[in-house]
Amino acid sequence: MRRTGGRVALLTLVAGGFAFLYLPLIVLVLFSFNASKLVSVWGGWSVKWYGELLRNEQVLMAAWLSIKIAVINATGATLLGTMAGLALARFGRFGGRLLFTGLIAAPLVMPDVIIGISLLLTFVSMEQLIGWPAGRGVDTILIAHITFSTAFVAVVVQARAGGLDRSIEEAAMDLGARPLTAFLLVTLPMLAPALASGWLLAFTLSLDDLVIASFASGPGSSTLPMVIFSKVRLGVTPEINALATLLIGAVALAAGGATWVQIRRMSRG
Amino acid sequence: MAAVSEGRRPFWLSGRGVVTGIPYLWLFVFFLVPFAIVFRISLSEPMIAQPPYSPLFGADGGYQGSFFNYELLFDDALYRAGYLNSLWVAGCATLVTLLIGYPMAYAIARAGALARNLLLMAVMLPFWSSFLLRVYALKTLMADTGLVNALLLSLGVIDSPIRMLQTDFALYVGISYTYLPFMILPLYATLERLDWSLVEAAEDLGCRPWKAFLLITLPLSIPGIIAGAMLVFIPATGEFVIPNLLGASDTLMVGRMLWDTFFNERDWTLASALAVVLLLFLVLPIMLFQVVQQRRGATS
């Protein structure tokens, strides 16, 4: 009796938790198809806000800029983060390891405003000292994004590399493969899932960042979150619902696909 | 074998040294050095110039930094209240997040392999979708004319809309909602690795499930609780977006004060001092987080 009671209580709490996570998103998606301009009044089904969205030049340009930045950031952060993750998982003790570990852990928790202001002041100081970067724009946003995304990729890669069976690499090297060849042919394919999720994580983080991009950007380089933020501050606009639905849909598709692959792999054993 | 051939060269000149050195250098230049620069600028005084702060050394080479900005921060009750309120709001929201997140992490860790994967994905999914849009979704729901009020009004529970936006309640809901996955994931990682035979042994020996939970599961999951709490508490303390969109217009939180000082008042030196003091408040929790991370890395 006691056990089932506990079970029901736990299930209720879990269901409540998931409802809390999903209800706002579901309402958002539903109301993106609302004909009425008011968020609480249902005015029948309509896709007119999607049409409005597609005609909004400012949003489209910002979205395109954000996607470009996110792709370059994800690639750069995956390169740097993979190196850092491997160093932490594989290279044992080296001079300065403690500081290195701190440099990987700190960006994970550091408040955005602190990262943002410190990078902007650094860019200004660098410009005074060496004349670069001249002003702020896409390049400074990229540097800022790569800086904080690298840490996230490093953690993902470190976790995966720490769990890998090293004997396969050692076997390859015993059979005459040079360390670099063994790394490219053996280690890298085994790391591939971590690289993929690290890349996606860095992509999402960049696409999502408002605060750091606001500090690092200059005139003429407004990213999508910056445009959304200024719209949301002025009031609720239904076309943002449409935009959110498209983004949520894309994420759901990617995540659903990834889960499906994982489940199939598991059921195959 | 590779270790032998590379052992002759010093670490930083070997292939491994280069692999470590590139990200090290990047983070050093763009993450560590910036804090030094913020500290340096916080010692200057604001002036109308490009850049808008006084040089640290005068024309005669004499040091002319001052603690002017820090004195300003400590003399002004508004800033003191801002720091205290940030810590209080972040602390309360972290507690709420823990209370919601723990049962979820527990259930996921004890679920079957298939259900576990699906539930984990369900936790991650909102995390992958935009943070800003999730805050916006809450804003629509909690507005005076929002769905929650509309529902309660039509059910006759209330006669006039409850004011939820621009209150501390909205702030707590906002932080708990957006940071919930950060609490669940480390908790899950710890609970999943837990030796459940200890709990079974306790129950076999006549311990009631609740008591077994309090005496065994909860103490063993403390590293996960600390990691999750830090992942929520530290960023929440400096949060800018949530207080700005959901909180009252006069909500005192450092993240927001820093933003306003920098962008609206354009006082770079005072904003730097605000950041330095906030960082000092967070150094202890961040170090605690790092220790927990390392211990988890060492045991895995």
Side-chain angles (χ1 to χ4, degrees):
Chain A
M1 273 310 282
R2 187 170 278 278
R3 285 204 100 121
T4 42
R7 213 151 217 214
V8 171
L10 181 64
L11 279 178
T12 316
L13 285 175
V14 173
F18 277 107
F20 179 50
L21 274 180
Y22 280 91
L23 216 60
L25 293 179
I26 292 169
V27 171
L28 194 71
V29 170
L30 218 59
F31 275 80
S32 77
F33 297 104
N34 186 7
S36 159
K37 202 178 162 63
L38 292 165
V39 276
S40 55
V41 181
W42 184 255
W45 295 92
S46 158
V47 289
K48 73 172 177 188
W49 301 117
Y50 290 86
E52 293 278 320
L53 181 69
L54 289 179
R55 275 191 295 276
N56 192 326
E57 195 92 346
Q58 188 199 14
V59 169
L60 292 183
M61 282 197 9
W64 178 232
L65 180 71
S66 276
I67 290 171
K68 277 194 287 191
I69 290 175
V71 168
I72 303 173
N73 162 66
T75 310
T78 304
L79 275 171
L80 286 174
T82 304
M83 292 186 203
L86 279 172
L88 288 175
R90 288 290 175 83
F91 297 169
R93 306 205 158 273
F94 51 84
R97 184 184 164 109
L98 191 67
L99 178 63
F100 191 53
T101 322
L103 286 177
I104 296 296
L108 304 181
V109 288
M110 192 64 68
D112 289 349
V113 279
I114 297 188
I115 301 186
I117 193 175
S118 63
L119 274 165
L120 170 53
L121 295 177
T122 306
F123 292 140
V124 172
S125 303
M126 282 170 73
E127 192 180 353
Q128 273 183 290
L129 270 173
I130 55 172
W132 180 89
R136 284 169 300 283
V138 177
D139 49 349
T140 46
I141 299 179
L142 270 172
I143 292 174
H145 280 190
I146 290 174
T147 303
F148 76 86
S149 319
T150 293
F152 285 86
V153 179
V155 170
V156 174
V157 171
Q158 184 191 3
R160 172 93 187 170
L164 284 185
D165 185 359
R166 297 195 68 165
S167 59
I168 308 176
E169 279 164 79
E170 280 159 16
M173 286 195 267
D174 283 347
L175 292 170
R178 285 164 183 238
L180 187 65
T181 321
F183 174 76
L184 289 177
L185 293 179
V186 180
T187 319
L188 209 55
M190 290 199 289
L191 281 178
L195 300 191
S197 55
W199 194 94
L200 274 176
L201 185 59
F203 181 83
T204 322
L205 286 168
S206 168
L207 208 58
D208 205 20
D209 166 62
L210 163 75
V211 174
I212 296 170
S214 298
F215 277 100
S217 71
S221 53
S222 288
T223 60
L224 187 60
M226 289 159 77
V227 172
I228 295 176
F229 182 67
S230 63
K231 279 185 176 296
V232 170
R233 260 175 86 169
L234 294 175
V236 172
T237 53
E239 43 187 312
I240 297 295
N241 290 347
L243 178 68
T245 304
L246 291 179
L247 287 175
I248 292 168
V251 169
L253 270 179
T259 315
W260 187 68
V261 168
Q262 206 177 353
I263 288 172
R264 266 188 44 167
R265 199 182 286 162
M266 270 176 53
S267 58
R268 264 196 233 136
Chain B
M1 225 158 265
V4 176
S5 62
E6 281 184 16
R8 289 184 201 126
R9 274 181 288 170
F11 177 77
W12 293 107
L13 294 176
S14 64
R16 293 173 164 213
V18 173
V19 166
T20 315
I22 295 171
Y24 206 150
L25 194 68
W26 180 287
L27 288 174
F28 192 85
V29 171
F30 292 117
F31 191 76
L32 196 62
V33 171
F35 292 135
I37 292 176
V38 169
F39 182 63
R40 175 249 168 281
I41 290 173
S42 75
L43 298 176
S44 290
E45 285 176 28
M47 57 188 267
I48 299 165
Q50 189 59 254
Y53 48 85
S54 62
L56 202 54
F57 296 95
D60 54 350
Y63 176 78
Q64 53 180 33
S66 76
F67 286 99
F68 170 79
N69 292 301
Y70 293 95
E71 279 162 24
L72 207 69
L73 284 188
F74 286 106
D75 286 344
D76 197 328
L78 192 73
Y79 292 109
R80 280 202 305 268
Y83 282 109
L84 288 179
N85 198 47
S86 293
L87 296 172
W88 170 252
V89 167
C92 291
T94 306
L95 191 66
V96 175
T97 315
L98 178 65
L99 291 177
I100 303 174
Y102 199 101
M104 295 176 77
Y106 182 88
I108 297 172
R110 303 229 70 177
L114 180 70
R116 185 183 295 184
N117 268 314
L118 288 174
L119 288 174
L120 267 184
M121 188 44 82
V123 170
M124 285 297 283
L125 201 63
F127 168 76
W128 288 97
S129 56
S130 168
F131 165 83
L132 190 58
L133 289 175
R134 279 183 291 147
V135 177
Y136 164 71
L138 281 180
K139 189 178 173 171
T140 358
L141 270 185
M142 292 198 286
D144 284 356
T145 57
L147 208 64
V148 175
N149 269 321
L151 204 67
L152 291 176
L153 280 172
S154 68
L155 288 175
V157 182
I158 50 172
D159 295 326
S160 56
I162 311 172
R163 183 150 196 83
M164 282 179 284
L165 279 187
Q166 292 158 6
T167 64
D168 281 354
F169 171 75
L171 214 52
Y172 296 134
V173 173
I175 297 176
S176 321
Y177 177 62
T178 45
Y179 286 94
L180 190 56
F182 287 107
M183 179 62 84
I184 295 178
L185 293 176
L187 269 177
Y188 160 79
T190 312
L191 287 168
E192 193 241 17
R193 243 183 266 156
L194 204 92
D195 187 356
W196 292 103
S197 59
L198 292 174
V199 180
E200 279 165 32
E203 289 183 7
D204 284 347
L205 292 170
C207 197
R208 295 219 169 133
W210 256 110
K211 216 173 167 194
F213 173 79
L214 284 178
L215 290 177
I216 297 167
T217 316
L218 197 60
L220 285 177
S221 57
I222 283 176
I225 295 178
I226 295 177
M230 293 298 118
L231 277 175
V232 177
F233 177 79
I234 303 169
T237 309
E239 185 56 58
F240 163 74
V241 177
I242 300 174
N244 194 298
L245 291 183
L246 301 179
S249 56
D250 57 350
T251 304
L252 293 175
M253 283 194 68
V254 203
R256 205 171 161 190
M257 290 172 142
L258 200 163
W259 176 287
D260 288 341
T261 308
F262 194 89
F263 285 113
N264 300 343
E265 290 161 35
R266 300 188 183 279
D267 186 344
W268 291 19
T269 62
L270 187 61
S272 298
L274 275 163
V276 170
V277 176
L278 175 59
L279 202 61
L280 287 180
F281 273 117
L282 295 179
V283 159
L284 208 68
I286 287 175
M287 281 166 67
L288 187 66
F289 170 76
Q290 206 187 325
V291 168
V292 173
Q293 286 293 97
Q294 265 172 337
R295 205 168 287 166
R296 274 178 55 199
T299 51
S300 68

